Amino acid sequence: MMNKKQLWKWHSWLGLYSGLVICILSFTGALAVFKVEIDHSLNKELFYVTPQEKVGNINQYIYAILDTYPEHNGYIVEPAEAVDRSWKVSFRLKEEGRNIAKEVFFNPYNGEVVGERDMYKTVSFFIRNIHVRLFDHWYGRQWVGLAGVCMLISLAVSIPLYFDFTKKQKFGKVRTKRSRQKWADLHKFIGLATIVFHLIIAITGAWLGLQPKIQKPLMGDRPGIYKPTEFPLSKSEDNRTAIDFIHLQTQVKKEFPELTSLKIKSSADGSRTVSVFGNIPRMPYERQTNFVVFDKGDLSLVYKLDLRKTGIGSHIFYMQEALHFGDFWGIGLKVIYCFLGLIGGFLGISGFFVYYKRTEKKRVQKYPLLTTSNIIYGFTLGSVLIMLLIAYSSITFGADYPTSTITTPAFYGLICIYILYRLIRYFKTKNLNHINS
């Protein structure tokens, strides 16, 4: 009995303290699954063109764009994936003292620049950034990772409790006499039915969040990365060395025919190489981690990473992000991930409801407005309004503005206020005990 009580206590407190973050991550994760589709729908004029009979001089079009921004230091080219798609050239530079990630889209048939933008001001960047790091550039990613650890422990301790519960009550039989009872049963049954999915999300989310801090000490560099050993050119010469992109695509097709969704990255470190990253369709690996490296001069093969031919360690490493976002097996799997992500948010809210309903009578006697429904509605409405404010600020002013003025100060400010509150409570209790004694 004591063991079960202890498990319930762990599950409850972990859920309460990490539940706010997990709810936000569940709903933003459901949105992040479709960030590419959302981006394309909102910006059709950038991504889509009218097909014509013959593609124009791609090399000329690309270098005309790069010549317009001579201050760039290295660039990436993304070829069209279909006959009705544009090509994209992206690079980083400074504009008015601010770092931007410039993306320039052009029509491959006539070279017309159909639009350009700062990637940091896009809806897709906001969606990913709010989910991956809560829009905090200090330790946001690590806070998300710790929330994943809390979620993992909470799920692990709930497994024996859930199975013990189903011994006493038939699985799926929801009691409806009292609202707290109904929500508690729904929380338990739905949690048990989706526990495998949420364990995968918790494990991969914890790793992806903490990876920047723990990867190097635990395992060193990413598996299979290419590190050049020869640098025949200066950095400026390397950056100016031309590439025949059409010939390069032919070489990629020859050396790695399954590679799709190409991303071509030109070296700027003097190694005189060009790397082409891409996906192998329907393989559960992180996007664009398979790649080939060519010499810029004669486009001879320098290095190739085909994850299918690597060891189990590389497979596990590169599966983490794919399993977390479900973006490797078409739109059907994305819909499933989105639905299950929304269920994760429901489990967080239903857990709050059960806890606050159980403590409602005592709380409302002291604070009449703090009913369970008011707390839930207030949290939901407040979270939506804050995320809309962050989204508007991000898209209008760039990622730096909401990070430095909204999320980072508010996040760490609330932590400091909570610590101060707990210290005051601690010393008040200590003094009271001292007086009574």
Side-chain angles (χ1 to χ4, degrees), residues 34-92:
F34 294 106
K35 72 182 184 70
V36 173
E37 288 80 4
I38 292 171
D39 192 23
H40 285 199
S41 297
L42 294 176
N43 301 282
K44 291 182 179 180
E45 73 283 358
L46 296 179
F47 290 97
Y48 294 91
V49 298
T50 302
Q52 299 178 23
E53 289 185 11
K54 188 177 179 182
V55 172
N57 191 330
I58 295 293
N59 297 329
Q60 179 183 328
Y61 302 155
I62 291 173
Y63 287 109
I65 292 170
L66 294 174
D67 288 342
T68 306
Y69 298 94
E71 66 272 29
H72 77 270
N73 183 25
Y75 59 92
I76 293 173
V77 174
E78 295 182 45
E81 296 184 54
V83 294
D84 63 343
R85 298 293 182 89
S86 60
W87 282 53
K88 182 172 76 174
V89 183
S90 55
F91 41 83
R92 299 182 189 276

Side-chain angles (χ1 to χ4, degrees), residues 55-59 61-62 77-83 85-88 106 108 243-265 274-278 292-296 298-301:
V55 172
N57 191 330
I58 295 293
N59 297 329
Y61 302 155
I62 291 173
V77 174
E78 295 182 45
E81 296 184 54
V83 294
R85 298 293 182 89
S86 60
W87 282 53
K88 182 172 76 174
F106 72 91
I243 301 169
D244 185 338
F245 291 95
I246 301 302
H247 187 198
L248 176 63
Q249 285 183 290
T250 303
Q251 290 297 96
V252 173
K253 203 69 179 173
K254 174 184 173 184
E255 300 291 347
F256 207 148
E258 303 94 334
L259 213 59
T260 63
S261 303
L262 304 183
K263 179 182 285 187
I264 302 167
K265 185 176 182 180
V274 54
S275 303
V276 184
F277 302 86
V292 280
V293 181
F294 299 95
D295 185 287
K296 279 184 185 177
D298 58 5
L299 294 183
S300 58
L301 183 66

Side-chain angles (χ1 to χ4, degrees), residues 360 363-376 378:
E360 184 177 53
R363 184 180 61 254
V364 170
Q365 287 176 351
K366 195 172 183 181
Y367 306 104
L369 288 177
L370 293 184
T371 62
T372 300
S373 58
N374 284 350
I375 292 173
I376 299 296

Side-chain angles (χ1 to χ4, degrees), residues 173-397:
K173 184 180 180 181
V174 177
R175 294 166 293 180
T176 58
K177 190 174 181 180
R178 290 180 297 167
S179 60
R180 182 165 72 88
Q181 203 173 52
K182 180 180 74 172
W183 283 86
D185 286 355
L186 287 171
H187 182 86
K188 292 167 187 171
F189 288 135
I190 294 175
L192 184 58
T194 60
I195 197 163
V196 173
F197 171 81
H198 287 107
L199 282 171
I200 292 172
I201 294 299
I203 293 169
T204 55
W207 165 252
L208 293 171
L210 299 174
Q211 182 183 353
K213 298 296 182 184
I214 66 175
Q215 178 190 306
K216 281 276 187 183
L218 288 180
M219 57 181 297
D221 292 325
R222 291 165 67 94
I225 64 170
Y226 169 71
K227 287 187 176 181
T229 56
E230 297 181 2
F231 302 89
L233 302 177
S234 68
K235 291 182 179 180
S236 58
E237 288 174 330
D238 192 9
N239 199 33
R240 294 193 304 269
T241 300
I243 301 169
D244 185 338
F245 291 95
I246 301 302
H247 187 198
L248 176 63
Q249 285 183 290
T250 303
Q251 290 297 96
V252 173
K253 203 69 179 173
K254 174 184 173 184
E255 300 291 347
F256 207 148
E258 303 94 334
L259 213 59
T260 63
S261 303
L262 304 183
K263 179 182 285 187
I264 302 167
K265 185 176 182 180
S266 172
S267 65
D269 58 0
S271 61
R272 201 183 64 193
T273 57
V274 54
S275 303
V276 184
F277 302 86
N279 305 328
I280 301 175
R282 298 189 176 276
M283 296 300 292
Y285 300 130
E286 183 179 334
R287 301 301 81 194
Q288 295 173 321
T289 47
N290 293 274
F291 66 94
V292 280
V293 181
F294 299 95
D295 185 287
K296 279 184 185 177
D298 58 5
L299 294 183
S300 58
L301 183 66
V302 175
Y303 185 83
K304 177 180 178 179
L305 177 66
D306 183 343
L307 287 173
R308 296 171 300 181
K309 300 178 181 178
T310 58
I312 186 68
S314 295
H315 289 184
I316 293 173
F317 183 92
Y318 286 112
M319 280 181 175
Q320 300 297 309
E321 185 165 323
L323 290 175
H324 190 78
F325 288 102
D327 58 353
F328 58 90
W329 216 8
I331 196 71
L333 184 61
K334 288 188 176 186
V335 171
I336 293 172
Y337 261 70
C338 178
F339 175 70
L340 291 172
L342 294 174
I343 286 179
F346 165 80
L347 291 175
I349 291 174
S350 60
F352 285 137
F353 183 88
V354 172
Y355 171 79
Y356 285 115
K357 200 68 178 175
R358 189 171 70 238
T359 58
E360 184 177 53
K361 186 175 180 180
K362 184 178 178 180
R363 184 180 61 254
V364 170
Q365 287 176 351
K366 195 172 183 181
Y367 306 104
L369 288 177
L370 293 184
T371 62
T372 300
S373 58
N374 284 350
I375 292 173
I376 299 296
Y377 290 143
F379 162 71
T380 304
L381 181 61
S383 298
V384 170
L385 290 176
I386 289 171
M387 281 194 280
L388 288 175
L389 177 61
I390 296 170
Y392 173 78
S393 301
S394 171
I395 295 165
T396 305
F397 305 109

